């Protein structure tokens, strides 16, 4: 049965790039963000509940979810963010269980659950080890502002809604510093790939140094 590695990190830390690098070495993976998009597609119960609560202001003309409009609502109101999580997280979890079961039965030595909310949504209970992708906050702010076309204050506000960096690092079994070069990232992925291939599911050796 494949070992499951939970890969997480703050916004704009490079989680998907790191995951693709692992995939190139043969590791299957599922991205919780992709699953989160699946559960709010037209025809899904979660989208109907969201539309009932917020109305057409969160829908595009074709009936799909206007993710930016919804993000603006929930980032401005903690109660609304918690409501959205209650409507979507159980459904996301159910689908992730299905994806991970397929990875565990695939014959691969390990696979990845890529999730920005690995700890916050308790998805860490679904994995054998937690790998945190870490970058300095200043780099997070710059990347987020450039990627999402927001200003620095908005980028910092998004980061502030996530688990604090030091808390995330404290809960890591392994850490990948992604604030340097691509070559350095690839070397660290290769090291971790060798480590994970030598582990047995359910075994959690001493955590990596931060």
């Amino acid at each position: 049965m494949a070992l499951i590695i939970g890969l997480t990190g703050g916004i704009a830390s490079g989680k998907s790039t790191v995951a693709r690098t692992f995939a190139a070495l043969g590791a299957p993976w599922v991205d919780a963000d992709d699953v989160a998009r699946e559960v709010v597609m037209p025809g899904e119960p979660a989208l109907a509940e969201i539309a009932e609560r917020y109305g057409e202001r969160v829908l595009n003309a074709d009936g799909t979810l206007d993710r930016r409009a919804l993000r603006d609502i929930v980032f401005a109101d903690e109660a609304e963010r918690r409501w959205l999580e209650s409507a979507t997280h159980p459904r996301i979890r159910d689908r992730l269980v299905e994806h991970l079961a397929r990875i565990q039965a695939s014959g691969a030595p390990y696979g990845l659950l890529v999730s920005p909310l690995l700890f916050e949504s308790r998805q860490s209970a679904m994995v054998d080890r937690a790998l945190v992708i870490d970058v300095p906050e200043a780099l997070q702010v710059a990347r987020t502002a450039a990627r999402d076309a927001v200003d620095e204050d908005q980028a910092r506000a998004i980061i502030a809604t996530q688990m604090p960096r030091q808390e995330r690092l404290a809960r890591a079994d392994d850490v990948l510093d992604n604030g340097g070069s691509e070559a350095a990232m690839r070397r660290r992925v290769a090291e971790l790939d060798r480590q994970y291939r030598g582990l047995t599911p359910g075994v959690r050796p001493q955590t990596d140094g931060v």
Side-chain angles (χ1 to χ4, degrees), residues 7 11 35 38-40 46 55 59 71 79 91 103 107 115 124 126 128 159 168 180 186:
L7 188 157
I11 188 171
V35 175
E38 289 175 12
V39 303
V40 293
L59 297 177
R71 184 181 67 185
R91 292 175 170 120
I103 289 175
S115 174
S124 55
M126 305 166 69
D128 297 292
I159 292 169
R168 188 184 301 118
R186 290 183 178 278

Side-chain angles (χ1 to χ4, degrees), residues 8 39 47 74 88 90 117 120 179 193:
T8 192
V39 303
L47 181 59
V74 300
T88 58
L117 299 175
E120 295 92 326
D193 175 73

Side-chain angles (χ1 to χ4, degrees), residues 57-178:
R57 61 179 170 152
V58 297
L59 297 177
N60 294 311
D62 61 358
T64 58
L65 180 66
D66 184 334
R67 298 178 67 85
R68 183 159 190 167
L70 182 60
R71 184 181 67 185
D72 289 345
I73 293 170
V74 300
F75 278 153
D77 189 321
E78 175 72 11
E80 294 304 323
R81 182 171 68 84
R82 292 190 179 281
W83 177 86
L84 180 64
E85 290 172 353
S86 71
T88 58
H89 283 187
R91 292 175 170 120
I92 293 168
R93 184 181 182 85
D94 288 346
R95 295 202 185 185
L96 286 175
V97 167
E98 296 173 3
H99 283 288
L100 292 176
R102 286 193 287 271
I103 289 175
Q104 289 176 317
S106 69
Y110 73 95
L112 305 175
L113 166 56
V114 182
S115 174
L117 299 175
L118 184 74
F119 300 126
E120 295 92 326
S121 63
R122 300 182 182 177
Q123 292 169 0
S124 55
M126 305 166 69
V127 306
D128 297 292
R129 289 181 73 81
L131 167 61
V132 168
I133 312 305
D134 184 53
V135 296
E137 185 172 313
L139 184 54
Q140 267 190 288
V141 171
R143 287 179 177 176
T144 301
R147 186 191 71 182
D148 296 348
V150 296
D151 62 28
E152 182 175 320
D153 287 343
Q154 289 174 304
R156 290 188 183 279
I158 294 170
I159 292 169
T161 67
Q162 299 185 329
M163 178 176 285
R165 179 187 180 193
Q166 290 305 316
E167 184 178 351
R168 188 184 301 118
L169 288 170
R171 298 180 65 171
D173 293 298
D174 307 294
V175 177
L176 188 156
D177 180 349
N178 201 25

